[in-house]
Structures are given as structure tokens and as C-alpha cells.
Amino acid sequence: MKFSKYIFQLLAMSCWLLASSCDRNRVFEKNVDIPDYSWDVKNKVSFDVNIDDTTSLHNLYVNVRHASQYPYANLYLFIVIKFPNGKLAKDTLECVFSDPNGKWKGDGMGDIWDNQILWKPNVKFPLKGKYTFEYEQAMRTEQVPFIMDVGLRVEKAKKKSK
């Protein structure tokens, strides 16, 4: 039973990687596994992103994969951004996973749900260099169960047609 779960996850990840490898707008995308599918409040997840383009607009997304046994309708995150010059910005984000009727949002296969939440649209990075994004779960509990992985996606915003 456990073996087939891992085969399914490997197949799902392979399909996702194949589909995303043709994505020309992507500047950065990385997902980090949450150990034992239980996100401890002390487990901060960080992403280092090198930005060279300070003229284009970018969209920032938070990726979250969770199991259907996840006991909440949402997930709150504290996000800290460290700029190349060392300055910090802090933000709080609510990731909504279900509608008011309890139906899961996102893309699902079996009991696994992938959510890509638009966090900041049309961002223009002010400086070239390394930005560090750090996530901390902010759910007022030490452990948040059934979170499988979290990630960050930075993509160039699509130009609007006139």
C-alpha cells in the first residue's frame, strides 16, 4: 500500500515537471518537502532567488501541496523577504484551500491537492541580486498536519493586450 502511494507521487511529480519544463515565463520555481507531512512552527522554509531583471513585472505565487485529510480550510503563512541590500519586508498570507461548502480548490489527484496561490501580482524588483523568501506556518498550533510541500514561483507577468 505504501509503495503504491510513492509510485503515485513519483508519477504525479514527473507529469508536473514535464508540463512545467516548457514554461517560458518562469523565472524561479522550487518546492520543498515538509518532513513527515507535518509542518512544525519552528521549521522555516526558505528560497534564494537571483533576480537580474529590474524592469519587467513579475507575479509571485505560493505553492502548497496537501492531503485531503488536511483539517482546515486554509493555511496562514508569515513571509519574510530579505532584499539584496539586507533590508527586510514582512507579510502575512492566507492560502484558501476550500470553498464555503468544503470542496477543495486546486488541482487534485486522489487524495493529494496542489494549490498555486497568487501572492503578489505585477511586482517590479527594485534591485538586482539575491532575494531570500522565508515561510513560516502561522496557524496558532505547533504542528500543521498533512502539508506535503510548499514552494515559491516567480514568473514574468504576461503583457496585457490593448
Side-chain angles (χ1 to χ4, degrees):
M1 184 73 178
K2 223 175 192 186
F3 181 72
S4 63
K5 178 181 173 185
Y6 292 115
I7 294 291
F8 174 75
Q9 288 177 345
L10 182 62
L11 182 60
M13 183 64 83
S14 298
C15 291
W16 178 78
L17 286 172
L18 183 62
S20 64
S21 65
C22 302
D23 189 352
R24 293 182 183 170
N25 289 331
R26 183 181 60 224
V27 173
F28 175 88
E29 188 161 15
K30 183 177 179 184
N31 296 295
V32 174
D33 292 336
I34 299 299
D36 301 319
Y37 303 154
S38 184
W39 196 357
D40 189 291
V41 71
K42 296 174 191 161
N43 180 14
K44 296 180 181 177
V45 178
S46 65
F47 306 93
D48 292 331
V49 181
N50 288 310
I51 298 295
D52 296 325
D53 184 351
T54 58
T55 59
S56 298
L57 295 175
H58 295 81
N59 294 326
L60 307 180
Y61 293 89
V62 170
N63 299 333
V64 182
R65 176 175 289 145
H66 68 86
S68 60
Q69 296 90 349
Y70 184 71
Y72 310 109
N74 60 5
L75 172 71
Y76 282 96
L77 299 177
F78 295 137
I79 303 174
V80 175
I81 305 168
K82 183 177 179 185
F83 290 77
N85 62 4
K87 291 189 177 186
L88 300 176
K90 297 179 182 181
D91 201 0
T92 302
L93 175 67
E94 179 187 15
C95 303
V96 178
F97 295 153
S98 71
D99 67 18
N101 297 320
K103 184 175 185 256
W104 292 121
K105 296 181 174 187
D107 295 324
M109 292 180 73
D111 67 343
I112 299 172
W113 294 88
D114 292 316
N115 294 272
Q116 190 167 73
I117 297 99
L118 179 59
W119 167 38
K120 292 199 174 285
N122 300 315
V123 171
K124 192 178 276 192
F125 289 99
L127 303 167
K128 289 184 179 184
K130 182 176 87 171
Y131 289 77
T132 300
F133 297 82
E134 184 179 76
Y135 297 175
E136 177 183 352
Q137 65 92 345
M139 290 295 287
R140 298 184 187 176
T141 182
E142 292 291 314
Q143 301 284 331
V144 177
F146 300 107
I147 298 293
M148 301 170 78
D149 57 63
V150 294
L152 172 68
R153 177 182 171 88
V154 178
E155 69 178 22
K156 289 197 177 190
K158 295 177 182 160
K159 295 179 182 176
K160 296 179 181 177
S161 303
K162 291 184 181 181

